Coordinates of all heavy atoms in Angstrom, one line a residue:
M993 N -15.7 -7.3 8.7 CA -15.0 -7.4 7.4 C -13.9 -6.2 7.3 O -14.2 -5.2 7.7 CB -16.0 -7.2 6.3 CG -15.5 -7.3 4.9 SD -16.8 -7.7 3.7 CE -15.7 -7.8 2.3
A994 N -12.8 -6.6 6.7 CA -11.7 -5.7 6.7 C -12.0 -4.6 5.7 O -12.5 -4.8 4.6 CB -10.4 -6.4 6.3
T995 N -11.5 -3.4 6.0 CA -11.6 -2.3 5.1 C -10.6 -2.4 3.9 O -9.7 -3.2 4.1 CB -11.4 -0.9 5.8 OG1 -10.0 -0.8 6.2 CG2 -12.3 -0.7 6.9
K996 N -10.8 -1.6 2.9 CA -9.8 -1.7 1.8 C -8.4 -1.3 2.3 O -7.4 -1.9 1.9 CB -10.2 -0.7 0.7 CG -9.5 -0.9 -0.6 CD -10.1 -0.1 -1.7 CE -9.5 -0.3 -3.0 NZ -10.1 0.3 -4.2
A997 N -8.3 -0.3 3.2 CA -7.0 0.0 3.8 C -6.3 -1.0 4.5 O -5.2 -1.3 4.4 CB -7.2 1.3 4.6
E998 N -7.1 -1.8 5.4 CA -6.6 -2.9 6.1 C -6.2 -4.0 5.2 O -5.1 -4.7 5.5 CB -7.7 -3.5 7.0 CG -8.0 -2.5 8.2 CD -9.3 -2.8 9.0 OE1 -10.2 -3.5 8.4 OE2 -9.4 -2.5 10.2
K999 N -6.9 -4.3 4.1 CA -6.5 -5.3 3.2 C -5.1 -5.0 2.5 O -4.3 -5.8 2.3 CB -7.5 -5.6 2.1 CG -8.8 -6.2 2.7 CD -9.9 -6.4 1.6 CE -11.1 -6.9 2.2 NZ -12.2 -6.9 1.2
I1000 N -5.0 -3.7 2.2 CA -3.8 -3.3 1.5 C -2.6 -3.3 2.5 O -1.5 -3.8 2.1 CB -4.0 -1.8 0.9 CG1 -4.9 -1.9 -0.3 CG2 -2.6 -1.2 0.6 CD1 -5.3 -0.6 -0.9
V1001 N -2.9 -2.9 3.8 CA -1.8 -3.0 4.8 C -1.3 -4.5 4.9 O -0.2 -4.8 4.9 CB -2.3 -2.5 6.2 CG1 -1.4 -3.0 7.3 CG2 -2.4 -1.0 6.2
A1002 N -2.3 -5.4 4.9 CA -1.9 -6.8 5.0 C -1.2 -7.2 3.7 O -0.1 -8.0 3.9 CB -3.3 -7.7 5.1
G1003 N -1.5 -6.8 2.6 CA -0.8 -7.1 1.3 C 0.6 -6.6 1.3 O 1.5 -7.0 0.6
L1004 N 0.8 -5.5 2.1 CA 2.1 -4.9 2.2 C 3.0 -5.5 3.3 O 4.1 -5.0 3.5 CB 2.1 -3.4 2.4 CG 1.5 -2.6 1.2 CD1 1.2 -1.1 1.7 CD2 2.5 -2.6 0.0
G1005 N 2.5 -6.5 3.9 CA 3.3 -7.2 4.9 C 3.0 -6.7 6.3 O 3.7 -7.1 7.3
G1006 N 1.9 -6.0 6.5 CA 1.5 -5.6 7.9 C 2.0 -4.2 8.2 O 3.0 -3.7 7.6
L1007 N 1.5 -3.6 9.3 CA 1.9 -2.2 9.7 C 3.4 -2.3 10.0 O 4.1 -1.2 9.8 CB 1.1 -1.8 10.9 CG -0.4 -1.3 10.6 CD1 -1.1 -1.0 11.9 CD2 -0.4 -0.1 9.7
D1008 N 3.9 -3.3 10.6 CA 5.3 -3.3 11.0 C 6.2 -3.3 9.9 O 7.4 -2.9 10.0 CB 5.6 -4.5 11.9 CG 4.9 -4.5 13.2 OD1 4.5 -3.4 13.7 OD2 4.8 -5.5 13.9
N1009 N 5.8 -3.6 8.6 CA 6.6 -3.6 7.5 C 6.6 -2.3 6.7 O 7.3 -2.1 5.8 CB 6.2 -4.7 6.6 CG 7.3 -5.1 5.6 OD1 8.5 -5.1 5.9 ND2 6.9 -5.4 4.3
I1010 N 5.7 -1.4 7.0 CA 5.5 -0.2 6.3 C 6.2 1.0 7.0 O 5.9 1.3 8.2 CB 4.0 0.2 6.2 CG1 3.2 -0.9 5.5 CG2 3.8 1.6 5.4 CD1 1.7 -0.7 5.5
E1011 N 7.2 1.6 6.3 CA 8.0 2.7 6.9 C 7.3 4.0 6.5 O 7.2 4.9 7.4 CB 9.4 2.7 6.4 CG 10.3 1.7 6.9 CD 11.7 1.9 6.6 OE1 12.0 2.0 5.3 OE2 12.5 2.0 7.5
E1012 N 6.7 4.1 5.4 CA 6.2 5.3 4.9 C 5.0 5.1 3.9 O 5.1 4.1 3.2 CB 7.3 6.0 4.0 CG 7.4 7.6 4.4 CD 8.6 8.0 3.5 OE1 9.8 7.9 3.9 OE2 8.3 8.6 2.4
V1013 N 4.0 6.0 3.8 CA 3.0 5.8 2.8 C 2.4 7.2 2.5 O 2.3 8.1 3.4 CB 1.8 4.9 3.4 CG1 1.1 5.5 4.6 CG2 0.7 4.6 2.3
E1014 N 2.2 7.4 1.2 CA 1.6 8.7 0.8 C 0.8 8.4 -0.4 O 1.1 7.6 -1.3 CB 2.7 9.8 0.6 CG 3.5 9.6 -0.6 CD 4.5 10.7 -0.9 OE1 4.0 11.7 -1.4 OE2 5.7 10.5 -0.5
G1015 N -0.3 9.2 -0.5 CA -1.2 9.1 -1.7 C -0.6 10.0 -2.7 O -0.1 11.1 -2.5
C1016 N -0.8 9.6 -4.0 CA -0.3 10.4 -5.2 C -1.2 10.2 -6.4 O -1.0 9.2 -7.1 CB 1.2 9.9 -5.5 SG 1.9 10.9 -6.8
I1017 N -2.2 10.9 -6.5 CA -3.3 10.9 -7.4 C -3.9 9.5 -7.6 O -5.0 9.4 -7.0 CB -2.7 11.4 -8.8 CG1 -2.1 12.8 -8.7 CG2 -3.9 11.4 -9.8 CD1 -1.5 13.3 -9.9
T1018 N -3.3 8.5 -8.2 CA -4.0 7.2 -8.3 C -3.1 6.1 -7.7 O -3.5 4.9 -7.9 CB -4.2 6.9 -9.8 OG1 -2.9 6.9 -10.5 CG2 -5.1 7.9 -10.5
R1019 N -2.1 6.5 -7.0 CA -1.2 5.4 -6.5 C -0.9 5.7 -5.0 O -0.9 6.8 -4.5 CB 0.1 5.5 -7.1 CG 0.1 5.1 -8.6 CD 1.4 5.4 -9.3 NE 1.2 5.1 -10.7 CZ 2.0 4.3 -11.3 NH1 3.0 3.6 -10.7 NH2 1.8 4.0 -12.6
L1020 N -0.7 4.6 -4.3 CA -0.1 4.7 -2.9 C 1.4 4.5 -3.1 O 1.8 3.5 -3.6 CB -0.6 3.6 -2.0 CG -2.0 3.7 -1.4 CD1 -2.3 2.5 -0.6 CD2 -2.1 4.9 -0.6
R1021 N 2.2 5.4 -2.7 CA 3.6 5.3 -2.7 C 4.0 4.9 -1.4 O 3.8 5.6 -0.4 CB 4.3 6.5 -3.1 CG 4.0 7.0 -4.6 CD 4.6 8.3 -4.9 NE 4.2 8.8 -6.2 CZ 4.9 8.5 -7.4 NH1 5.9 7.7 -7.4 NH2 4.4 9.0 -8.5
T1022 N 4.7 3.7 -1.2 CA 5.1 3.2 0.1 C 6.5 2.8 0.1 O 7.1 2.5 -1.0 CB 4.2 2.0 0.5 OG1 4.5 0.9 -0.4 CG2 2.8 2.3 0.5
E1023 N 7.1 2.9 1.3 CA 8.4 2.4 1.5 C 8.3 1.3 2.6 O 7.7 1.4 3.6 CB 9.3 3.5 2.1 CG 10.8 3.2 2.1 CD 11.4 3.3 0.8 OE1 11.0 4.0 -0.2 OE2 12.4 2.5 0.6
V1024 N 8.8 0.1 2.3 CA 8.6 -1.1 3.2 C 10.0 -1.5 3.7 O 11.1 -1.2 3.0 CB 7.9 -2.3 2.5 CG1 6.5 -1.9 2.1 CG2 8.7 -2.8 1.3
I1025 N 10.0 -2.2 4.8 CA 11.3 -2.6 5.4 C 11.7 -3.9 4.6 O 12.8 -4.1 4.2 CB 11.1 -3.0 6.9 CG1 10.8 -1.7 7.6 CG2 12.3 -3.6 7.4 CD1 10.2 -1.8 9.0
D1026 N 10.8 -4.9 4.4 CA 11.1 -6.2 3.7 C 10.3 -6.4 2.6 O 9.1 -6.8 2.8 CB 11.0 -7.3 4.8 CG 11.4 -8.6 4.2 OD1 11.7 -8.7 3.0 OD2 11.4 -9.6 5.0
P1027 N 10.8 -6.1 1.3 CA 9.9 -6.2 0.1 C 9.5 -7.7 -0.1 O 8.4 -7.9 -0.8 CB 10.8 -5.7 -1.0 CG 12.1 -5.5 -0.4 CD 12.0 -5.5 1.1
S1028 N 10.1 -8.7 0.5 CA 9.7 -10.0 0.3 C 8.4 -10.4 1.0 O 7.8 -11.4 0.6 CB 10.8 -11.0 0.8 OG 10.9 -11.0 2.2
K1029 N 7.9 -9.5 1.9 CA 6.7 -9.7 2.6 C 5.5 -9.2 1.8 O 4.3 -9.4 2.2 CB 6.7 -9.0 4.0 CG 7.7 -9.7 5.0 CD 7.6 -9.1 6.4 CE 8.6 -9.8 7.3 NZ 8.5 -9.0 8.6
V1030 N 5.8 -8.4 0.7 CA 4.7 -7.8 -0.1 C 4.0 -8.9 -0.9 O 4.7 -9.7 -1.6 CB 5.2 -6.7 -0.9 CG1 4.1 -6.2 -1.9 CG2 5.8 -5.6 -0.1
D1031 N 2.7 -9.1 -0.8 CA 1.9 -10.1 -1.5 C 1.1 -9.4 -2.6 O 0.0 -8.8 -2.3 CB 1.0 -10.7 -0.4 CG 0.2 -11.9 -1.0 OD1 0.1 -12.0 -2.3 OD2 -0.4 -12.7 -0.2
E1032 N 1.7 -9.4 -3.8 CA 1.1 -8.8 -4.9 C -0.3 -9.3 -5.2 O -1.2 -8.5 -5.5 CB 1.9 -9.0 -6.2 CG 1.7 -8.0 -7.2 CD 2.7 -8.0 -8.3 OE1 3.9 -8.3 -8.0 OE2 2.3 -7.7 -9.4
A1033 N -0.6 -10.6 -5.0 CA -1.9 -11.2 -5.2 C -2.9 -10.7 -4.2 O -4.1 -10.3 -4.6 CB -1.8 -12.7 -5.2
A1034 N -2.5 -10.5 -3.0 CA -3.4 -10.0 -2.0 C -3.7 -8.5 -2.2 O -4.8 -8.1 -2.0 CB -2.7 -10.1 -0.5
L1035 N -2.7 -7.7 -2.7 CA -3.0 -6.4 -3.0 C -4.0 -6.2 -4.2 O -4.9 -5.4 -4.2 CB -1.7 -5.7 -3.4 CG -0.7 -5.4 -2.3 CD1 0.7 -5.0 -2.8 CD2 -1.3 -4.4 -1.3
K1036 N -3.8 -7.1 -5.3 CA -4.7 -7.1 -6.4 C -6.2 -7.5 -5.9 O -7.2 -7.0 -6.3 CB -4.3 -8.0 -7.5 CG -3.1 -7.3 -8.1 CD -2.6 -8.1 -9.4 CE -1.5 -7.2 -10.1 NZ -0.9 -7.9 -11.2
A1037 N -6.2 -8.5 -5.0 CA -7.5 -8.9 -4.4 C -8.2 -7.8 -3.6 O -9.4 -7.8 -3.5 CB -7.3 -10.1 -3.5
A1038 N -7.3 -6.9 -3.1 CA -7.9 -5.8 -2.3 C -8.3 -4.7 -3.1 O -8.8 -3.6 -2.7 CB -6.8 -5.3 -1.3
G1039 N -8.1 -4.8 -4.5 CA -8.6 -3.8 -5.4 C -7.5 -3.0 -6.1 O -7.8 -2.2 -6.9
A1040 N -6.2 -3.4 -6.0 CA -5.2 -2.7 -6.8 C -5.2 -3.1 -8.2 O -5.5 -4.3 -8.5 CB -3.8 -3.1 -6.1
H1041 N -5.0 -2.2 -9.1 CA -5.0 -2.4 -10.5 C -3.6 -2.9 -10.9 O -3.5 -3.5 -12.0 CB -5.3 -1.2 -11.3 CG -6.7 -0.6 -10.9 ND1 -7.8 -1.2 -11.2 CD2 -7.0 0.5 -10.3 CE1 -8.9 -0.5 -10.7 NE2 -8.4 0.5 -10.2
G1042 N -2.6 -2.6 -10.1 CA -1.2 -3.0 -10.4 C -0.3 -2.7 -9.2 O -0.7 -2.0 -8.3
V1043 N 0.9 -3.3 -9.2 CA 1.9 -3.1 -8.2 C 3.2 -2.9 -8.9 O 3.6 -3.7 -9.8 CB 1.9 -4.3 -7.3 CG1 3.0 -4.1 -6.2 CG2 0.6 -4.6 -6.6
V1044 N 3.9 -1.8 -8.5 CA 5.2 -1.6 -9.1 C 6.3 -1.6 -8.0 O 6.1 -0.9 -7.0 CB 5.3 -0.1 -9.7 CG1 6.6 0.1 -10.3 CG2 4.1 0.1 -10.8
K1045 N 7.2 -2.6 -8.1 CA 8.1 -2.8 -7.1 C 9.5 -2.3 -7.6 O 10.0 -2.6 -8.6 CB 8.3 -4.3 -6.7 CG 7.1 -4.9 -6.1 CD 7.3 -6.3 -5.8 CE 6.2 -7.1 -5.2 NZ 6.4 -8.5 -5.0
M1046 N 10.2 -1.5 -6.7 CA 11.5 -0.9 -7.0 C 12.3 -1.0 -5.7 O 12.3 0.0 -5.0 CB 11.5 0.5 -7.6 CG 10.7 0.6 -8.8 SD 10.3 2.3 -9.2 CE 9.1 2.7 -8.1
G1047 N 12.8 -2.2 -5.4 CA 13.6 -2.3 -4.1 C 12.6 -2.3 -3.0 O 11.6 -3.0 -3.0
T1048 N 12.7 -1.4 -2.1 CA 11.9 -1.2 -0.9 C 10.8 -0.2 -1.2 O 9.9 0.0 -0.3 CB 12.7 -0.7 0.4 OG1 13.3 0.5 0.2 CG2 13.6 -1.8 0.8
A1049 N 10.8 0.5 -2.4 CA 9.7 1.4 -2.8 C 8.7 0.5 -3.5 O 8.9 -0.1 -4.5 CB 10.3 2.5 -3.7
I1050 N 7.4 0.6 -3.0 CA 6.3 -0.2 -3.6 C 5.3 0.9 -3.9 O 4.8 1.7 -3.1 CB 5.7 -1.1 -2.6 CG1 6.8 -2.1 -2.0 CG2 4.6 -2.0 -3.4 CD1 7.6 -3.0 -3.0
Q1051 N 4.7 0.8 -5.2 CA 3.7 1.7 -5.6 C 2.4 0.7 -5.9 O 2.6 -0.2 -6.6 CB 4.0 2.5 -6.9 CG 5.0 3.5 -6.7 CD 5.4 4.3 -7.9 OE1 4.5 4.3 -8.9 NE2 6.4 5.0 -8.0
V1052 N 1.4 1.0 -5.2 CA 0.1 0.3 -5.4 C -0.8 1.2 -6.2 O -1.2 2.2 -5.7 CB -0.4 -0.1 -4.0 CG1 -1.7 -0.9 -4.2 CG2 0.6 -0.8 -3.1
V1053 N -1.1 0.8 -7.4 CA -2.0 1.5 -8.3 C -3.5 1.2 -7.9 O -3.9 0.0 -8.0 CB -1.8 1.2 -9.8 CG1 -2.6 2.0 -10.7 CG2 -0.3 1.3 -10.1
I1054 N -4.2 2.1 -7.3 CA -5.6 1.9 -6.9 C -6.6 2.8 -7.3 O -7.7 2.7 -7.0 CB -5.6 1.8 -5.3 CG1 -5.0 3.0 -4.7 CG2 -4.9 0.6 -4.8 CD1 -5.2 3.1 -3.2
G1055 N -6.2 3.8 -8.1 CA -7.2 4.8 -8.6 C -7.5 6.0 -7.7 O -6.6 6.3 -6.8
T1056 N -8.5 6.6 -7.9 CA -8.7 7.9 -7.2 C -8.9 7.8 -5.7 O -9.0 8.8 -5.0 CB -10.0 8.6 -7.8 OG1 -11.0 7.8 -7.7 CG2 -9.6 9.1 -9.2
D1057 N -9.0 6.6 -5.2 CA -9.0 6.4 -3.7 C -7.7 6.5 -3.0 O -7.7 6.4 -1.8 CB -9.6 5.0 -3.4 CG -11.0 4.8 -3.8 OD1 -11.7 5.8 -4.0 OD2 -11.5 3.7 -3.7
A1058 N -6.7 6.7 -3.7 CA -5.3 6.7 -3.2 C -5.1 7.6 -2.0 O -4.6 7.2 -0.9 CB -4.2 7.0 -4.2
D1059 N -5.5 8.9 -2.1 CA -5.3 9.8 -0.9 C -6.1 9.4 0.3 O -5.5 9.3 1.3 CB -5.6 11.3 -1.3 CG -4.6 11.8 -2.2 OD1 -3.4 11.5 -2.1 OD2 -4.9 12.6 -3.1
P1060 N -7.4 9.1 0.2 CA -8.2 8.7 1.5 C -7.6 7.4 2.0 O -7.6 7.2 3.2 CB -9.6 8.5 1.0 CG -9.7 9.0 -0.4 CD -8.3 9.2 -0.9
I1061 N -7.2 6.5 1.2 CA -6.7 5.2 1.7 C -5.4 5.4 2.4 O -5.0 4.8 3.5 CB -6.5 4.1 0.6 CG1 -8.0 3.7 0.2 CG2 -5.7 2.9 1.1 CD1 -8.0 2.7 -0.9
A1062 N -4.5 6.3 1.9 CA -3.2 6.7 2.4 C -3.5 7.3 3.8 O -2.8 6.9 4.8 CB -2.5 7.6 1.6
A1063 N -4.5 8.1 3.9 CA -4.9 8.8 5.2 C -5.4 7.7 6.2 O -5.0 7.8 7.4 CB -5.9 9.9 5.0
D1064 N -6.1 6.8 5.8 CA -6.6 5.7 6.6 C -5.4 4.9 7.2 O -5.4 4.6 8.3 CB -7.6 4.8 5.9 CG -8.9 5.5 5.6 OD1 -9.2 6.5 6.2 OD2 -9.7 4.8 4.8
I1065 N -4.5 4.6 6.3 CA -3.3 3.8 6.7 C -2.5 4.6 7.7 O -2.0 4.0 8.7 CB -2.5 3.3 5.5 CG1 -3.3 2.3 4.7 CG2 -1.2 2.7 5.9 CD1 -2.7 2.0 3.3
E1066 N -2.2 5.9 7.4 CA -1.5 6.7 8.4 C -2.2 6.8 9.8 O -1.4 6.7 10.7 CB -1.3 8.1 7.8 CG -0.3 8.2 6.7 CD -0.3 9.6 6.0 OE1 -1.1 10.4 6.3 OE2 0.6 9.7 5.1
D1067 N -3.5 6.8 9.8 CA -4.2 6.7 11.0 C -4.0 5.5 11.9 O -4.0 5.5 13.1 CB -5.7 6.9 10.8 CG -6.1 8.3 10.4 OD1 -5.3 9.2 10.5 OD2 -7.2 8.5 9.9
M1068 N -3.8 4.4 11.1 CA -3.5 3.0 11.7 C -2.1 3.0 12.3 O -1.9 2.3 13.2 CB -3.6 1.9 10.8 CG -5.1 1.6 10.3 SD -5.1 0.1 9.2 CE -5.7 0.8 7.8
M1069 N -1.2 3.7 11.7 CA 0.2 3.7 12.2 C 0.3 4.5 13.4 O 0.9 4.4 14.3 CB 1.1 4.2 11.1 CG 1.1 3.4 9.8 SD 2.0 4.2 8.4 CE 3.6 3.6 8.7

């Protein structure tokens, strides 16, 4: 079974689509290459409370797990 971090990576369009990721209190702040690959429904299914899209900057609102999940995603990269 996929971890929460793996599900979020998939929702962001895969590792190849993620340029940057950092945890910020309750959000994952990410920079993606192709925002059209971001699947908001998949991110919400992975546990996101919301998704904020601003061009290639995507914020995934996930609560207090943001920092450990960001670390897990960085380990995958």
Side-chain angles (χ1 to χ4, degrees):
M993 181 156 180
T995 66
K996 190 170 188 174
E998 290 168 335
K999 291 176 185 176
I1000 289 171
V1001 165
L1004 289 169
L1007 285 175
D1008 293 342
N1009 197 42
I1010 300 170
E1011 287 190 303
E1012 225 179 279
V1013 63
E1014 68 177 285
C1016 182
I1017 304 174
T1018 60
R1019 296 171 184 238
L1020 282 179
R1021 294 180 186 266
T1022 66
E1023 190 73 33
V1024 297
I1025 296 166
D1026 182 354
S1028 71
K1029 292 183 178 179
V1030 175
D1031 183 343
E1032 200 168 329
L1035 290 169
K1036 288 184 178 178
H1041 303 292
V1043 179
V1044 180
K1045 295 180 180 180
M1046 296 165 289
T1048 59
I1050 310 295
Q1051 294 182 16
V1052 184
V1053 183
I1054 53 175
T1056 56
D1057 290 350
D1059 285 325
I1061 289 174
D1064 290 346
I1065 293 171
E1066 285 174 353
D1067 289 347
M1068 288 186 239
M1069 298 172 84

